[in-house]
Amino acid sequence: MEYTVKTLAQLAGVTPRALRWYDKEGLLKPLRTTDAGYRIYGPEQVDRLQMILFYRELGMELSAIRSILNDPSFDRISALQNHLTELETRRDRLDTLILTVQSAITEAKGGTQMSDSKKFEAFKRSMIQNNETQYGREIREKYGDEAIDRSNEKVLSMTQEDYSDVQSLEHAIYSALTEAVRSGISPTGKVGLSIAELHRKWLSYY
């Protein structure tokens, strides 16, 4: 089936202006253009638009999407599988957070009390999932599945005190780095070494 800009925009839930912009940016070229200047899109363009919207849903910039889709080695099936994995990870993260909020509401109403570890388990799992999404492939290739799985288990077994210490260290490191950069302090000096020591302590929790 073939579509005009208007009909494809209605089908996909985007604006005609967006489709014209995708064309201008080399992201989604029409199948052909009529003598009257109307863009016509076929099945291949429909599938490509679906991929564009999948990537947009994941927060990717148009330039990055164009590079991916225009890569000769692009594999639609593999890309869809990756999308599915990412969406399932997001769903699991949300499900865990929803259960935690529900339990907190029950406790606040005088119901079953949550253990301190349960109150923060969802956040620790979310931290792990975010890390896996951003760096999982890289760190697993570099350090191996066993090391990363062991690190993740260490995070999940953190006490509330450990978790609070980690959060405090993150803020301290960020503040110290920001101030050091603004002040032009040498990284090899006393301040730089103290920041490195904070980072070493932070790493030890993982």
Side-chain angles (χ1 to χ4, degrees):
M1 191 168 180
E2 294 185 346
Y3 301 91
T4 62
V5 166
K6 182 178 180 180
T7 55
L8 181 57
Q10 291 174 339
L11 178 69
V14 299
T15 64
R17 181 181 178 184
L19 293 181
R20 296 188 185 98
W21 179 253
Y22 291 165
D23 182 7
K24 181 180 178 181
E25 292 297 302
L27 193 61
L28 181 66
K29 291 293 184 182
L31 174 65
R32 67 177 189 278
T33 303
T34 67
D35 293 338
Y38 292 105
R39 296 174 176 85
I40 302 297
Y41 299 87
E44 184 177 340
Q45 288 72 43
V46 171
D47 288 345
R48 186 176 172 97
L49 177 59
Q50 183 190 49
M51 296 305 302
I52 292 170
L53 297 182
F54 275 140
Y55 282 119
R56 290 294 286 164
E57 187 67 26
L58 295 178
M60 292 186 67
E61 298 291 334
L62 292 181
S63 58
I65 298 173
R66 181 177 60 237
S67 296
I68 292 171
L69 296 182
N70 289 345
D71 189 326
S73 64
F74 175 75
D75 181 356
R76 184 167 181 262
I77 294 177
S78 295
L80 288 170
Q81 187 61 55
N82 289 336
H83 285 314
L84 179 60
T85 300
E86 168 63 18
L87 291 171
E88 288 174 340
T89 299
R90 291 188 180 190
R91 181 192 60 193
D92 292 343
R93 187 184 309 156
L94 285 173
D95 286 345
T96 302
L97 289 170
I98 288 170
L99 289 173
T100 302
V101 172
Q102 289 174 336
S103 297
I105 291 172
T106 298
E107 180 186 56
K109 290 181 177 180
T112 304
Q113 296 293 302
M114 296 177 70
S115 67
D116 287 343
S117 61
K118 276 291 183 183
K119 290 179 180 180
F120 296 94
E121 182 178 347
F123 301 109
K124 289 187 284 188
R125 289 192 179 278
S126 182
M127 183 194 308
I128 290 171
Q129 290 169 345
N130 284 333
N131 192 58
E132 287 282 0
T133 298
Q134 295 184 61
Y135 312 110
R137 179 180 298 178
E138 177 186 349
I139 59 179
R140 287 182 178 277
E141 287 179 354
K142 186 171 183 179
Y143 300 108
D145 289 338
E146 183 179 349
I148 302 306
D149 291 341
R150 188 167 60 247
S151 176
N152 289 342
E153 286 300 321
K154 191 171 183 179
V155 172
L156 290 175
S157 64
M158 280 183 185
T159 64
Q160 174 50 32
E161 183 179 1
D162 288 339
Y163 184 75
S164 296
D165 287 345
V166 167
Q167 298 299 306
S168 296
L169 276 171
E170 286 182 2
H171 291 302
I173 293 168
Y174 179 79
S175 297
L177 278 173
T178 301
E179 181 60 30
V181 171
R182 285 176 177 169
S183 303
I185 294 174
S186 170
T188 60
K190 186 176 180 180
V191 173
L193 292 175
S194 68
I195 295 174
E197 175 58 20
L198 288 176
H199 189 227
R200 186 198 64 77
K201 288 183 178 179
W202 179 82
L203 286 172
S204 70
Y205 283 95
Y206 299 98

